[in-house]
Amino acid sequence: MPKTIKELADELKVSKQTIQYHYQRLPTKNRQKDSQGTNMISLTAERIIRDKVAKPLVANTQQTGSKKVTKTSKENNELIATLRREIEDLKSQRDKQLATKDRQIDHLTKLVDQQQQLQLATVADNRRLKDHVQKLSGQLTQKTNDNLSAGNDLFNIQDKKSKIAKQKIVKSGSNKDGIHTNRAIKRWWKFW
């Protein structure tokens, strides 16, 4: 539970300025403010500040004697309890994050599986379409070959007709020299 600078100063029996000094040197991620803009000290920040403030206190306690040693051990017990609470908080946060990551991994695994199934279905459809196109292509090739042979037959028929037409050349009189000229019969539909 976050504390104010005054509460922590009273608890550690140091001045507010000392706590404020250490608080300002904390990383920004460990600094908090409440809705009114008051500086609040989180458990992590409290632990860091306690460590910094406790070092001079331990040195002072050793100099003054054994009376304060019992207070220091009390403070150490409080510090240990605070650290244990913080460790439990961090473990619960870690467990929540891991559970979230597990759900995300499961979701992504399902998406990859769906993608692979969709890909397989698409490949199967493509194969069916390719086989169908090849089948149609084979039929078209066969029809084309049939049409080509029919076209050759038609060409042969037209060739015979042209031979017959050449045979129908009419003699059209003689010219001045007495040479006879041959001219084909011309009809209007043959000009196009």
Side-chain angles (χ1 to χ4, degrees):
M1 177 158 123
K3 298 179 181 179
T4 63
I5 292 176
K6 182 177 182 348
E7 291 171 350
L8 187 59
D10 291 342
E11 188 177 314
L12 296 177
K13 296 183 175 122
V14 294
S15 66
K16 288 185 345 185
Q17 291 82 5
T18 303
I19 301 298
Q20 184 70 33
Y21 173 82
H22 292 295
Y23 180 78
Q24 290 176 350
R25 278 148 186 78
L26 289 174
T28 54
K29 66 178 182 177
N30 292 332
R31 295 187 212 166
Q32 295 178 351
K33 291 190 183 247
D34 66 357
S35 60
Q36 298 164 351
T38 306
N39 291 330
M40 300 301 288
I41 300 172
S42 67
L43 293 175
T44 308
E46 180 181 343
R47 179 180 50 82
I48 294 169
I49 292 172
R50 277 182 185 270
D51 288 342
K52 291 182 179 183
V53 172
K55 288 178 185 176
L57 286 178
V58 170
N60 288 339
T61 351
Q62 290 173 352
Q63 291 175 359
T64 55
S66 63
K67 282 186 179 179
K68 292 191 177 181
V69 172
T70 56
K71 284 186 177 179
T72 307
S73 64
K74 234 184 209 184
E75 289 174 2
N76 285 340
N77 289 339
E78 290 175 9
L79 181 61
I80 290 170
T82 303
L83 291 174
R84 285 185 179 156
R85 283 192 303 267
E86 187 174 329
I87 288 171
E88 291 301 320
D89 290 341
L90 291 174
K91 282 183 181 178
S92 67
Q93 288 176 0
R94 181 199 60 197
D95 292 342
K96 288 177 186 176
Q97 289 174 349
L98 288 175
T100 303
K101 293 294 179 191
D102 288 342
R103 284 193 301 274
Q104 289 173 347
I105 289 170
D106 289 341
H107 178 69
L108 291 174
T109 304
K110 286 178 186 176
L111 289 177
V112 167
D113 186 42
Q114 290 173 353
Q115 173 64 27
Q116 289 173 346
Q117 290 175 359
L118 182 61
Q119 185 70 23
L120 287 174
T122 303
V123 167
D125 287 345
N126 286 345
R127 283 185 184 153
R128 274 189 266 129
L129 288 173
K130 185 178 179 181
D131 292 342
H132 185 67
V133 166
Q134 287 177 345
K135 182 180 175 184
L136 290 176
S137 174
Q139 290 175 355
L140 181 63
T141 305
Q142 186 179 9
K143 285 182 181 180
T144 305
N145 289 340
D146 292 345
N147 288 343
L148 285 177
S149 64
N152 288 339
D153 293 342
L154 183 62
F155 180 71
N156 291 337
I157 292 171
Q158 288 177 347
D159 195 29
K160 287 180 185 178
K161 284 183 180 179
S162 67
K163 285 181 183 177
I164 293 172
K166 287 180 183 177
Q167 291 174 357
K168 292 183 181 179
I169 295 176
V170 204
K171 290 186 179 182
S172 65
S174 53
N175 58 11
K176 297 180 201 174
D177 299 331
I179 302 173
H180 295 286
T181 58
N182 296 332
R183 288 195 313 193
I185 301 173
K186 295 183 181 177
R187 295 191 174 93
W188 66 270
W189 60 85
K190 293 188 176 180
F191 291 118
W192 283 280

